[in-house]
């Protein structure tokens, strides 16, 4: 018994699994021991294969050269890619469907299409030293000046900025009236006034870093503003929604691999004359893990399917938060248990369980911490009631 998926979705699942198992997983240990880096020819092959598979275009509309896949198919694909450690599945940038609603033809040509064919890479700069969980508190400004905006501020944790050509930057636009509004901008990373001021090390070994960037008097053309005045943070919310769903998917994939590894090891490892799989304390860890994975996976698939059915976006938004919350917390518990099942071997960096144990931790933090997901769910519950959210 498995979740009923169409033959087309199952074919995507097979292709993504094949790419993960044959191309990416064999290089995890190399990446772990080399600051996340792969030999250049291997990295180039991974990128070429990812482009050939269409991973940069899954969500882009067909009329713009994308694959326009249902969200359920995308979740199934990202679940398989989540089986890989060291972020080796981040071989290409991905264009999202909201970009085609938000961006002008010129922006699509200059920034979004080059992401789809692997020519340009993006990063997202929202978080600041004093604005993480509350992006409404950001202090970076984009002050209108003729046909330009002038950007000043500092952004933290800008994932993949070390590989990026441009930044999706969230800033506050002060108005003459003394009011202000939030807006999203394209900023070229090599524009004068853009500088990396810190590059901290984090708990995982990824070639994508999370540096701090300072923007000092950066002049960007007015044409680089994304969306219309008044759109505020709506496109940032679209981005959050998609990322939360795909994080949930990746967490499910990671948990599935962890459980498989834990079960295999438990059957083979003999302690006090018996395989540890015979011991009920070990069985309980495996059983809890599988049951929790199944619950998280169903939630994740359903959040995607709701979007495909065109259900109310506010309700979908809540479901994406529930899926991210449930799946990321679940995957962390699973990683902890599987490390435990491996005993001392679970503490070795050569063991994928050890790497997942470190890597999955951030899934409870980025794209909104678990606490923030709970607040989103609770606010929606108090507004819509149980029936309004889950029938
Ligand atoms: C590796 C990494 C990569 C990242 N990549 C990016 C990126 O590419 N782009 C980007 O813009 N950002 C990125 N981030 C930032 C990330 O989204 C933030 O770290 C996250 O949103 C939390 O913000 P904060 O770190 O400022 O924590 P804070 O907001 O300071 O929160 C601290 C603690 O307080 C809790 N808390 C806050 N408010 C409440 C509340 N109302 N009720 C209860 N508890 C609360 C939080 O849950 C957390 O436990 C990244 C972070 C990391 C670690």
């Amino acid at each position: 018994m498995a979740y009923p998926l169409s033959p087309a979705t199952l074919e995507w699942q097979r292709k993504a699994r094949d790419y993960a198992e044959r191309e990416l997983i064999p290089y995890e240990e190399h990446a772990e021991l080399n600051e996340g880096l792969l030999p250049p020819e291997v990295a180039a092959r991974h990128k070429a294969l990812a482009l050939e598979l269409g991973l940069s275009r899954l969500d882009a509309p067909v009329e713009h050269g994308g694959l326009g896949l249902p969200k359920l198919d995308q979740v199934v694909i990202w679940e398989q890619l989540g089986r890989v450690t060291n972020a080796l599945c981040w071989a290409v940038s991905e264009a999202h469907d909201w970009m085609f609603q938000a961006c002008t033809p010129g922006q699509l040509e200059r920034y979004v299409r080059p992401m789809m064919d692997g020519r340009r890479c993006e990063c997202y700069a929202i978080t600041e030293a004093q604005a993480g969980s509350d992006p409404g508190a950001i202090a970076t400004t984009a002050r209108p000046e003729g046909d330009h905006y002038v950007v000043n501020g500092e952004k933290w944790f800008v994932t993949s900025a070390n590989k990026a050509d441009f930044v999706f930057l969230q800033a506050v636009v002060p108005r003459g009236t003394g009011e202000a509004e939030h807006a999203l901008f394209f900023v070229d990373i090599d524009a004068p006034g853009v500088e990396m001021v810190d590059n901290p090390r984090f708990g995982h070994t990824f070639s994508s870093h999370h540096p701090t960037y300072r923007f000092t008097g950066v002049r960007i053309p007015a044409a680089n503003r994304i969306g219309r005045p008044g759109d505020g943070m709506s496109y940032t919310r679209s981005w959050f929604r998609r990322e939360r769903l795909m994080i949930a998917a990746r967490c499910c994939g990671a948990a599935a691999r962890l459980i498989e590894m834990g079960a295999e090891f438990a059957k083979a490892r003999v302690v006090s004359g018996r395989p540890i799989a015979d011991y009920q304390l070990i069985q309980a860890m495996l059983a809890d893990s599988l049951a929790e994975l199944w619950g998280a996976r169903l939630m994740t698939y359903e959040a995607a399917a709701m979007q495909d059915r065109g259900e109310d976006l506010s309700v979908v938004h809540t479901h994406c938060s529930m899926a991210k919350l449930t799946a990321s917390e679940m995957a962390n518990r699973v990683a902890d248990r599987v490390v435990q099942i491996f005993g001392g071997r679970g503490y070795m960096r050569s063991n994928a369980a050890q790497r997942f144990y470190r890597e999955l931790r951030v899934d409870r933090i980025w794209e909104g911490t678990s606490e923030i997901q709970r607040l989103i769910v609770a606010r929606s519950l108090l507004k819509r009631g149980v029936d309004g959210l889950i029938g």
Side-chain angles (χ1 to χ4, degrees):
M1 158 63 192
Y3 188 87
L5 296 171
S6 72
T9 308
L10 286 170
E11 179 57 12
W12 273 112
Q13 187 183 54
R14 187 198 62 73
K15 284 197 282 190
R17 175 69 159 262
D18 191 54
Y19 174 59
E21 300 275 338
R22 280 202 304 150
E23 292 294 335
L24 305 181
I25 287 178
Y27 291 98
E28 288 175 333
E29 267 190 77
H30 181 98
E32 179 65 20
L33 299 177
N34 292 278
E35 305 290 330
L37 294 166
L38 298 180
E41 69 282 5
V42 176
R45 190 175 76 239
H46 288 175
K47 179 175 174 178
L49 287 167
L51 288 172
E52 197 181 306
L53 252 178
L55 296 183
S56 63
R57 301 179 291 131
L58 302 176
D59 200 38
V62 174
E63 59 273 26
H64 287 282
L67 298 173
L69 288 189
K71 292 286 188 283
L72 180 58
D73 289 21
Q74 297 184 47
V75 151
V76 163
I77 290 166
W78 275 105
E79 184 181 14
Q80 294 307 316
L81 300 177
R83 295 174 62 88
V84 182
T85 66
N86 299 85
L88 296 186
C89 60
W90 295 355
V92 286
S93 292
E94 230 194 328
H96 299 169
D97 67 349
W98 63 264
M99 295 173 190
F100 298 87
Q101 297 154 24
C103 295
T104 63
Q107 292 170 347
L108 291 177
E109 204 47 49
R110 179 144 186 231
Y111 294 105
V112 181
R113 287 216 182 82
M115 284 163 67
M116 289 164 65
D117 59 23
R119 279 180 292 136
R120 301 194 83 183
C121 296
E122 90 295 13
C123 58
Y124 292 80
I126 300 169
T127 305
E128 299 177 1
Q130 302 305 329
S133 295
D134 177 13
I138 63 176
T140 296
T141 52
R143 191 173 297 279
E145 235 184 66
D147 58 357
H148 278 72
Y149 287 92
V150 179
V151 175
N152 284 289
E154 190 175 287
K155 294 291 183 181
W156 279 41
F157 306 113
V158 189
T159 294
S160 299
N162 59 318
K163 298 181 174 183
D165 304 283
F166 64 92
V167 187
F168 283 95
L169 177 116
Q170 186 84 38
V172 174
V173 181
R175 289 211 213 101
T177 56
E179 290 173 7
E181 65 167 333
H182 283 258
L184 203 54
F185 296 88
F186 286 109
V187 182
D188 292 315
I189 209 150
D190 59 358
V194 179
E195 64 175 322
M196 193 185 78
V197 291
D198 195 12
N199 193 10
R201 308 302 293 269
F202 290 81
H204 50 224
T205 316
F206 289 4
S207 63
S208 286
H209 299 166
H210 317 282
T212 307
Y213 265 74
R214 189 170 298 152
F215 300 80
T216 313
V218 181
R219 285 176 64 78
I220 54 169
N224 280 23
R225 180 170 177 165
I226 300 172
R228 288 179 305 275
D231 282 344
M233 296 196 58
S234 60
Y235 292 114
T236 298
R237 269 195 289 277
S238 303
W239 179 59
F240 281 153
R241 200 158 43 242
R242 184 193 157 76
E243 289 301 301
R244 286 170 188 164
L245 190 58
M246 298 308 156
I247 286 172
R250 292 205 302 269
C251 285
C252 289
R257 182 172 169 208
L258 280 161
I259 297 168
E260 288 161 16
M261 288 170 53
E264 279 310 304
F265 181 78
K267 284 193 273 185
R269 174 69 175 162
V270 174
V271 179
S272 304
R274 290 169 67 182
I276 60 170
D278 284 358
Y279 299 129
Q280 290 178 346
L281 292 176
I282 299 287
Q283 291 178 5
M285 288 198 271
L286 290 170
D288 285 347
S289 296
L290 186 67
E292 291 172 25
L293 165 60
W294 183 235
R297 181 191 280 176
L298 292 176
M299 286 177 72
T300 304
Y301 284 9
E302 187 51 26
M306 286 174 77
Q307 221 161 325
D308 293 333
R309 292 194 296 267
E311 294 194 19
D312 179 343
L313 217 47
S314 308
V315 174
V316 170
H317 196 84
T318 312
H319 276 261
C320 290
S321 286
M322 289 201 286
K324 195 237 183 209
L325 170 65
T326 305
S328 63
E329 296 284 336
M330 172 279 298
N332 275 268
R333 287 192 297 274
V334 170
D336 185 74
R337 291 181 192 126
V338 173
V339 165
Q340 198 68 16
I341 289 170
F342 273 102
R345 292 165 176 79
Y347 203 58
M348 293 159 71
R349 284 171 67 189
S350 55
N351 188 325
Q354 213 303 302
R355 299 193 296 276
F356 274 129
Y357 180 75
R358 279 178 289 127
E359 294 177 11
L360 289 165
R361 189 63 183 84
V362 77
D363 290 316
R364 293 167 57 196
I365 296 171
W366 59 16
E367 309 301 337
T369 63
S370 289
E371 290 72 35
I372 294 305
Q373 306 309 325
R374 289 186 178 99
L375 292 184
I376 292 168
V377 174
R379 280 194 204 116
S380 186
L381 166 67
L382 296 171
K383 190 167 166 187
R384 298 179 178 83
V386 174
D387 284 356
L389 288 176
I390 58 170

